Amino acid sequence: PWAALQTAMMVHVSLPALRLATLLVALPALITFVQLRYAVSRRGLCFVGPAEEDSVIFTFARTSTGSGKTKRSEASASGDVEPPEANGLSAAFGMYMQSGSRSFAQVHRSSRSEWGIGWPCITSVVSTLAARQTGSSDARPFGHMVAYDEDKGRWCISKSNSEPLRDEGGSLMCSDSANIRITCPGSNVPTSSSTSKRTKRNENLEQILYRPATTLLLGLNVYLAYRYWDGRISPSSVAKIYSKIVGLHELWRSFSGATAHFDGLHLGFNMMSLYSLGMELEENFGSINFFFYNVSLVVLTTAVMIGLTWLRIRHDTGNTALSETSTVGFSGVLFAWMVVASLERSNTCPVPFLPDICFDTYSGFGLKFNAGPLVQLVIAQFIMPRVSFVGHLAGIICGFFVHWSLIPLSLFGPQIMIPASFLAHLWFVRKSIPVAGDAAVEDDEAFVLVEGQDDENNRTATQRRPGERMSKRHQLLVLVKSAILGISVLSLVLFDISLILSQAVAVTFYAFGVQSNALLLRHRGKPNSSVDDKRKITMEMSRGGILWRGGGFSFLFFF
């Protein structure tokens, strides 16, 4: 069955492709786990939800008890007792953040309709923490508190006016109730006046663990720099080169060039900038979003750099060296983040050795502007003349685009940017799509033609079977395309705009792949194939393989 599926989709699944697919699935899950395990745990959070046997409870906050052991105050009751809705108990479900020595204020409210269990989902937790970090209006407090009852050793819920929350029978809503489940830190919540022995903190280690996306990017760039040095890799084999990307369609150079460093000074400057910007911005955006935005900025800065290089080549037609210039390093993405960081500050001092030279951030027409990144661009060019002026300028342009919301953040994920960029390259650069000419024929006509040619030439049943199998395969592809289009219509109601566009790109790849398959059947169905027909078959197989692989990765990004 696996071999039949490969043949039907005309895709050769190699081991590197499987590794890449595994990485794309596992990496976001790993970042999510690290962020929730460390970034959330240090804030001392309480979670309140319904006490049901099938509820899944995650406890992120743990503190030390007097005996030195780890204690988690978590109480629940078995049974299928439904929480009463009439007294507003469901309004107490959600996430609570520490507001006093032994009290927590509600900062996120989740209902029983949220994922069907009444507990806040991962994205709700991360979004709420990011909103409170940035002072967003979405970070308003809600009307419930959780406090520790010293006498009975339990956590109880009260309203903001200190009135205890009670169920229909008048009983207090506490962690020993049968209607709710409260997961909070242990009773010995540390306070500023606590005289207990504190564990020595390693701030550097905390910074690494609390900002996993920055740590991952730092490790990736340093590791690749070592591998390139150890393998004596030539910069031209991985760098961003206009002629290679546009002429030879080596789009992978967008990522290999952005993460390649061949000079210790270059690597050091970039990694120090990445560390500084990551410490400042990752917690504001959230680790998952920050990592995704970095991936998308790699694609966007490369596209802008290619566009600027194309304009320079058109202006200076005699300078062929522009198309062969090699560009490496993560600095294009870093300049984009410099713009975002500078526009979030009231002023920016871009000259390290002249701290008194600062530039104010100006606002007008709903947009912000700061000249600091442009000054940094000139200084970098002056100190290191070999740096890529166009690459850095592309980063600055992308930074303003992102902060000015010319590219909405909801559309800035890699699940859209990467497949859409590949689709645009096939359309405008390679001109492989749309599938024009004979491919515009109706799908039904394509496979009928194959069977008709077989019958007209009086071929044997054994000779007709390949054509018949191709016909059935094409019918299946057309049927799947119709089903996918139907599901896409439903997604307009079920998904947000980001997932809708991601799915639209994947469906576009699939639709063009079906058209390419129809054209391939027409060429193969001819009785006497000429040299030109064989050339067309080879070209169509190549185009079809590209479209199917693009569609496969697009659906993978979508999921």
Side-chain angles (χ1 to χ4, degrees):
W2 176 244
L5 179 61
Q6 283 186 309
T7 304
M9 300 300 294
M10 295 185 298
V11 180
H12 177 66
V13 180
S14 61
L15 184 59
L18 291 176
R19 290 176 177 173
L20 178 60
T22 304
L23 180 65
L24 292 174
V25 173
L27 197 56
L30 176 62
I31 294 178
T32 303
F33 170 78
V34 174
Q35 183 180 26
L36 292 179
R37 176 62 183 86
Y38 295 99
V40 178
S41 64
R42 63 175 176 160
R43 290 177 170 83
L45 299 177
C46 274
F47 294 91
V48 178
E52 297 178 351
E53 291 180 344
D54 58 344
S55 294
V56 181
I57 311 301
F58 295 96
T59 302
F60 304 115
R62 297 191 179 191
T63 56
S64 298
T65 63
S67 60
K69 297 180 179 180
T70 298
K71 177 180 179 181
R72 180 182 67 177
S73 176
E74 176 186 290
S76 65
S78 61
D80 298 326
V81 181
E82 292 290 333
E85 302 291 343
N87 61 3
L89 178 58
S90 62
F93 295 163
M95 182 173 67
Y96 293 71
M97 186 173 290
Q98 188 170 352
S99 59
S101 61
R102 289 180 173 86
S103 63
F104 295 78
Q106 188 178 17
V107 294
H108 172 76
R109 177 178 293 169
S110 59
S111 64
R112 290 184 59 80
S113 61
E114 183 171 2
W115 297 103
I117 58 175
W119 292 88
C121 61
I122 291 175
T123 53
S124 299
V125 174
V126 175
S127 300
T128 301
L129 294 177
R132 295 187 65 82
Q133 181 70 24
T134 58
S136 170
S137 59
D138 296 334
R140 64 186 187 279
F142 293 88
H144 292 86
M145 303 281 294
V146 171
Y148 188 71
D149 185 352
E150 295 281 358
D151 296 333
K152 297 186 177 181
R154 61 182 182 177
W155 294 94
C156 294
I157 305 176
S158 63
K159 298 180 180 179
S160 57
N161 58 3
S162 300
E163 177 186 352
L165 187 66
R166 300 178 181 273
D167 60 13
E168 290 180 339
S171 302
L172 294 176
M173 288 288 95
C174 297
S175 54
D176 55 0
S177 170
N179 293 330
I180 60 172
R181 184 167 182 158
I182 302 177
T183 302
C184 287
S187 59
N188 297 329
V189 180
T191 63
S192 57
S193 59
S194 176
T195 58
S196 60
K197 183 178 179 180
R198 295 177 179 270
T199 304
K200 185 177 180 180
R201 297 175 58 189
N202 188 327
E203 295 185 0
N204 293 327
L205 181 61
E206 286 183 357
Q207 296 294 340
I208 292 175
L209 295 176
Y210 295 156
R211 291 167 175 80
T214 302
T215 303
L216 177 64
L217 293 172
L218 286 168
L220 176 65
N221 280 274
V222 173
Y223 171 75
L224 290 178
Y226 168 75
R227 289 302 301 267
Y228 292 150
W229 170 81
D230 185 57
R232 303 299 187 266
I233 304 298
S234 171
S236 60
S237 61
V238 295
K240 300 179 186 178
I241 303 176
Y242 179 88
S243 62
K244 302 289 187 181
I245 296 177
V246 177
L248 300 180
H249 317 297
E250 297 178 353
L251 303 185
W252 51 267
R253 288 180 177 268
S254 301
F255 292 94
S256 65
T259 54
H261 299 82
F262 294 90
D263 181 78
L265 188 62
H266 185 204
L267 177 65
F269 274 128
N270 278 0
M271 294 305 98
M272 286 190 292
S273 299
L274 175 58
Y275 177 83
S276 175
L277 292 167
M279 295 301 106
E280 179 180 357
L281 297 174
E282 180 174 343
E283 196 166 11
N284 294 340
F285 285 97
S287 295
I288 300 173
N289 290 335
F290 184 72
F291 177 76
F292 281 171
Y293 294 159
N294 273 278
V295 175
S296 298
L297 278 173
V298 170
V299 178
L300 188 60
T301 53
T302 301
V304 174
M305 187 191 74
I306 292 297
L308 294 175
T309 304
W310 178 79
L311 291 175
R312 291 181 64 191
I313 293 175
R314 290 202 59 175
H315 181 266
D316 190 2
T317 55
N319 191 354
T320 58
L322 293 174
S323 63
E324 300 297 332
T325 302
S326 299
T327 303
V328 295
F330 207 66
S331 50
V333 176
L334 295 177
F335 265 90
W337 286 124
M338 288 178 191
V339 172
V340 174
S342 65
L343 297 182
E344 290 295 322
R345 309 185 191 119
S346 58
N347 60 70
T348 299
C349 306
V351 187
F353 46 85
L354 295 175
D356 295 332
I357 300 180
C358 300
F359 297 87
D360 294 331
T361 301
Y362 299 96
S363 301
F365 304 101
L367 305 177
K368 293 182 178 181
F369 179 80
N370 190 300
L374 296 175
V375 175
Q376 285 179 310
L377 173 65
V378 176
I379 293 176
Q381 196 70 27
F382 177 76
I383 295 177
M384 296 179 289
R386 293 182 57 192
V387 301
S388 173
F389 179 84
V390 175
H392 292 174
L393 180 61
I396 291 177
I397 294 174
C398 293
F400 280 113
F401 271 35
V402 171
H403 195 276
W404 290 346
S405 296
L406 298 179
I407 302 177
L409 291 181
S410 59
L411 310 181
F412 197 54
Q415 76 276 10
I416 297 177
M417 293 294 297
I418 295 178
S421 300
F422 184 40
L423 188 66
H425 179 82
L426 293 177
W427 200 312
F428 298 106
V429 179
R430 299 188 69 162
K431 302 189 184 301
S432 299
I433 53 175
V435 181
D438 292 337
V441 70
E442 293 292 334
D443 293 327
D444 292 339
E445 183 182 345
F447 64 78
V448 168
L449 179 62
V450 176
E451 293 182 345
Q453 291 289 351
D454 286 338
D455 294 337
E456 290 173 4
N457 288 275
N458 297 318
R459 296 179 183 177
T460 65
T462 304
Q463 291 174 320
R464 286 200 302 269
R465 284 174 187 169
E468 292 173 358
R469 284 199 296 266
M470 287 189 294
S471 302
K472 293 179 180 179
R473 183 185 67 187
H474 186 76
Q475 286 178 305
L476 177 61
L477 293 176
V478 173
L479 181 62
V480 172
K481 182 182 75 171
S482 302
I484 292 176
L485 291 175
I487 296 174
S488 300
V489 175
L490 294 178
S491 68
L492 297 175
V493 180
L494 300 177
F495 300 145
D496 60 11
I497 185 63
S498 176
L499 288 178
I500 290 173
L501 292 180
S502 176
Q503 186 182 24
V505 175
V507 171
T508 302
F509 271 110
Y510 188 88
F512 283 138
V514 174
Q515 289 186 2
S516 175
N517 185 69
L519 185 57
L520 180 62
L521 292 180
R522 287 181 61 86
H523 289 307
R524 282 180 170 175
K526 294 182 178 180
N528 298 316
S529 299
S530 63
V531 176
D532 185 62
D533 290 331
K534 293 180 179 179
R535 182 182 61 83
K536 290 180 179 180
I537 290 175
T538 303
M539 293 177 60
E540 200 57 49
M541 290 180 64
S542 176
R543 173 165 63 176
I546 293 173
L547 291 173
W548 289 122
R549 285 191 293 270
F553 278 108
S554 297
F555 278 111
L556 180 62
F557 276 115
F558 166 75
F559 285 117

